[in-house]
Amino acid sequence: MQIISLAFVLFVLALLCVYYLVGRLCGRYQWVVILVANFVFYYLAANLSGMVFILTAALPTWLASQAFGKLTASYKARRKATKDKAERKRLKAELKRRKRVVLVAALVVILGVLGYLKYWNVILFNFNLAPSPSSLGILLPMGISFYTFMSAMYLIDTYNDKFAPERNFLRYLAFVSYFPCFIQGPINRYDEMSPQLSEVHHVELRKVQRGLLRLGLGLLKKCAIASMLTANVSAILAAIGSDTPGAAIVVGIVLYSFFMYGDFSGGIDMVEGVSELFGIEMSENFRQPYLSVSIADFWRRWHKSLGVFMRDYLFYPIALTKPMQRFSKWAQAHTPHHIGRTLPACIANLIVFFFVGLWHGAEWHFIAWGMYNGIVVALADLFEPVFHSMKARLHVRDDSKPYYVFTVVRTFVMVNIGRYFDCIASVSVSLLALHNTFLKFAPAQPLTTVLADMGVTDAATLGISWVAFAAMLVVAVVDVAEERGVDVRDKILSWKFYQRVILYVVVGLIFAASLPTTVTAGVTFAYANF
């Protein structure tokens, strides 16, 4: 069952009826409806065997959290029974040691399963022990990265006593298996989602309207942008060779950026909109990423829930380790102040972005893409005083509009340089593409002719049809308005009826024009296999 299908619409409509009927009759069991719906959806969208992997992530982390609770309760009772400071210190150290053993054991289980399914075949291939990256026939269960990371966050948070462990396994399972985030995220946090899943929800027209608007925006992004661009992106990237002019490659890379934004953020808008129909708000995953002013800012706006996971559960633990703290003191004592203060964070960032690349796949081009982003972020931090001095000499104000536009354009260029490693499956071809971009940019023939020869449709408009252009214009207006602090959905709902009808008809016509291509291209999502 695809998310863009009649079956999914009927599934959601039936679920909404049951969900709100149960809420009216016996509200405290609404979460049970969600739990059952999660597994019904997974069965219809994937297969029954995949549910085993959900339990493989949920059960060990829940059992570990119960162990944390019992160990802590035992520690408090034994600590209360003694006045001896040395004994209390020993008990605390023992608690910490036992909890760490439980934590590591649970993490090994859930991350070991994810690692085997996602990376084992690729690792064997890289060491010439398998004929291809998929020769073992290992199929990645739908949404495994997302529910594994959600389980890991819950596990670590209960280990750190951020909140009390959930005693009811089925309630916890309702969180881990929440069906809207199966497709491509976001990575939700237990302490934000659990209260929403537990409380009683009744039909609220405003929330339903907001959810439908977000769902509609997501459909527009996916169908009228991503689906309309995917064939042209594939045609250009597949044709890259030593004679391919850099101008054609740049067109392909920029189209890929628009495609990926439409595909990924469109899918997120759809599942967020569906979730809002049930009165449940998931973690935000995008915030106008192509209006970022730096690469670091881009990663605070693009796939935000992954960024939060990497920051809170990888960056900070690395930065706060004793070896890193010792290195930080050494660096501050032996290097200029800014470098000494910044260098440890730069190293931690490089490690984080290595894992960001690895999360996207075990292929070398993903590793290169992650490291590119990490290096750019690290260099920007290290050379911040130099950039600040240059701006002062040139009398450039940070709050000036021309400088803001410059930083947005600069960041978009830097992001797209990184895309060479993201969307091209070979590092050598990525480097060839970069070489041609900078040293063989101009085509021997008109660019439109080169694109047409590559099999690009709408070559006269650089591969962008009027449907895609119109949809991109709508999304750009929405993003700029949101960046300025306007709640676009509330703004639309405050319009007069005829104004809303005009908007819905225009957007509906754009969407309808994209349907033939969407049906041909298919409705799978790029991040569905993560």
Side-chain angles (χ1 to χ4, degrees):
M1 179 173 60
Q2 298 288 347
I3 189 172
I4 304 178
S5 66
L6 178 60
F8 183 75
V9 172
L10 294 176
F11 168 78
V12 171
L13 288 176
L15 178 58
L16 284 169
C17 292
V18 175
Y19 181 75
Y20 283 116
L21 179 61
V22 170
R24 192 175 183 83
L25 298 177
C26 191
R28 60 183 182 144
Y29 292 113
Q30 265 186 322
W31 68 270
V32 178
V33 177
I34 291 294
L35 175 62
V36 173
N38 294 343
F39 284 89
V40 171
F41 173 79
Y42 202 93
Y43 173 73
L44 295 174
N47 54 64
L48 195 61
S49 61
M51 298 179 189
V52 173
F53 294 103
I54 300 175
L55 295 173
T56 302
L59 190 57
T61 49
W62 180 78
L63 290 173
S65 72
Q66 302 310 299
F68 295 152
K70 291 179 180 179
L71 287 170
T72 300
S74 173
Y75 159 73
K76 288 180 178 179
R78 293 167 68 188
R79 184 181 185 276
K80 189 176 181 180
T82 181
K83 300 291 185 180
D84 185 79
K85 290 184 178 180
E87 178 62 12
R88 286 187 169 187
K89 187 176 181 180
R90 187 192 68 79
L91 290 173
K92 186 175 182 180
E94 180 184 336
L95 170 69
K96 187 175 181 180
R97 184 176 63 256
R98 289 184 175 182
K99 286 179 68 176
R100 186 181 292 125
V101 169
V102 174
L103 172 70
V104 171
L107 286 175
V108 166
V109 172
I110 64 171
L111 296 180
V113 171
L114 175 63
Y116 172 76
L117 294 173
K118 194 167 185 177
Y119 303 113
W120 183 241
N121 200 163
V122 179
I123 292 171
L124 292 178
F125 172 72
N126 282 318
F127 285 96
N128 297 317
L129 297 175
S132 76
S134 58
S135 58
L136 297 183
I138 299 174
L139 299 177
L140 201 62
M142 183 178 67
I144 186 170
S145 287
F146 302 112
Y147 60 71
T148 298
F149 279 13
M150 287 162 58
S151 300
M153 288 195 296
Y154 167 83
L155 175 69
I156 296 170
D157 285 345
T158 52
Y159 169 80
N160 290 323
D161 297 318
K162 186 176 180 180
F163 48 76
E166 172 58 64
R167 291 190 175 186
N168 188 325
F169 173 68
L170 294 180
R171 282 184 181 273
Y172 173 62
L173 187 60
F175 157 72
V176 173
S177 61
Y178 188 48
F179 77 91
C181 68
F182 271 178
I183 306 299
Q184 51 182 3
I187 303 168
N188 297 303
R189 304 186 77 136
Y190 176 81
D191 53 329
E192 295 173 355
M193 286 288 293
S194 178
Q196 297 185 79
L197 290 169
S198 298
E199 66 187 11
V200 179
H201 296 277
H202 300 290
V203 179
E204 295 181 41
L205 180 60
R206 191 72 169 187
K207 287 186 177 181
V208 171
Q209 290 173 320
R210 285 178 59 84
L212 289 173
L213 282 174
R214 185 157 192 180
L215 178 59
L217 178 62
L219 281 168
L220 185 72
K221 287 180 178 179
K222 171 60 181 173
C223 297
I225 297 178
S227 294
M228 297 299 294
L229 296 178
T230 183
N232 288 340
V233 170
S234 299
I236 296 173
L237 298 182
I240 294 176
S242 58
D243 297 327
T244 308
I249 297 172
V250 168
V251 170
I253 294 295
V254 173
L255 290 182
Y256 174 81
S257 281
F258 293 146
F259 157 79
M260 186 55 71
Y261 184 47
D263 187 273
F264 194 11
S265 75
I268 290 295
D269 282 335
M270 279 187 271
V271 297
E272 293 271 12
V274 168
S275 186
E276 287 180 19
L277 296 178
F278 296 91
I280 298 169
E281 294 185 5
M282 299 192 293
S283 299
E284 287 294 335
N285 225 23
F286 286 90
R287 185 171 64 85
Q288 302 82 248
Y290 289 149
L291 295 177
S292 306
V293 297
S294 68
I295 292 292
D297 186 36
F298 175 81
W299 281 102
R300 288 190 289 268
R301 295 165 173 259
W302 179 280
H303 206 342
K304 289 174 60 179
S305 62
L306 177 65
V308 168
F309 177 87
M310 292 293 179
R311 181 196 68 196
D312 292 352
Y313 301 95
L314 193 58
F315 176 83
Y316 286 142
I318 291 172
L320 297 176
T321 58
K322 290 182 179 179
M324 190 62 78
Q325 292 293 304
R326 288 195 295 268
F327 174 72
S328 178
K329 291 180 180 179
W330 178 90
Q332 292 183 53
H334 294 84
T335 62
H337 175 71
H338 175 77
I339 294 177
R341 184 173 56 85
T342 307
L343 196 57
C346 292
I347 294 173
N349 261 324
L350 288 173
I351 297 172
V352 165
F353 276 103
F354 169 82
F355 281 101
V356 168
L358 186 64
W359 180 80
H360 284 80
E363 294 86 354
W364 288 110
H365 71 100
F366 283 129
I367 304 297
W369 175 57
M371 294 307 296
Y372 164 82
N373 284 279
I375 290 169
V376 171
V377 171
L379 291 176
D381 287 344
L382 287 172
F383 285 93
E384 183 183 2
V386 176
F387 300 144
H388 183 75
S389 176
M390 289 173 61
K391 286 188 292 183
R393 290 184 180 184
L394 295 172
H395 304 289
V396 175
R397 296 198 339 263
D398 287 340
D399 60 350
S400 68
K401 288 186 179 179
Y403 180 69
Y404 169 74
V405 173
F406 165 75
T407 56
V408 170
V409 172
R410 177 196 63 190
T411 303
F412 185 72
V413 171
M414 296 299 292
V415 167
N416 278 279
I417 292 174
R419 295 290 190 201
Y420 281 72
F421 299 101
D422 174 22
C423 64
I424 300 175
S426 166
V427 175
S428 60
V429 178
S430 300
L431 295 175
L432 172 64
L434 283 169
H435 173 272
N436 288 10
T437 296
F438 289 103
L439 300 178
K440 291 184 179 181
F441 184 81
Q445 299 175 292
L447 179 58
T448 54
T449 302
V450 174
L451 293 175
D453 290 342
M454 288 177 158
V456 174
T457 58
D458 301 296
T461 50
L462 303 182
I464 302 176
S465 66
W466 74 265
V467 175
F469 179 79
M472 288 162 66
L473 187 61
V474 171
V475 172
V477 170
V478 171
D479 278 3
V480 170
E482 292 280 0
E483 186 71 7
R484 292 181 175 179
V486 177
D487 188 320
V488 173
R489 289 185 286 171
D490 273 356
K491 187 72 174 177
I492 291 172
L493 293 173
S494 70
W495 288 357
K496 294 180 179 178
F497 177 74
Y498 78 89
Q499 293 174 316
R500 281 180 281 141
V501 169
I502 293 173
L503 174 66
Y504 299 155
V505 169
V506 171
V507 173
L509 289 173
I510 297 171
F511 172 72
S514 73
L515 285 179
T517 303
T518 300
V519 171
T520 303
V523 290
T524 57
F525 291 88
Y527 273 74
N529 293 323
F530 283 83

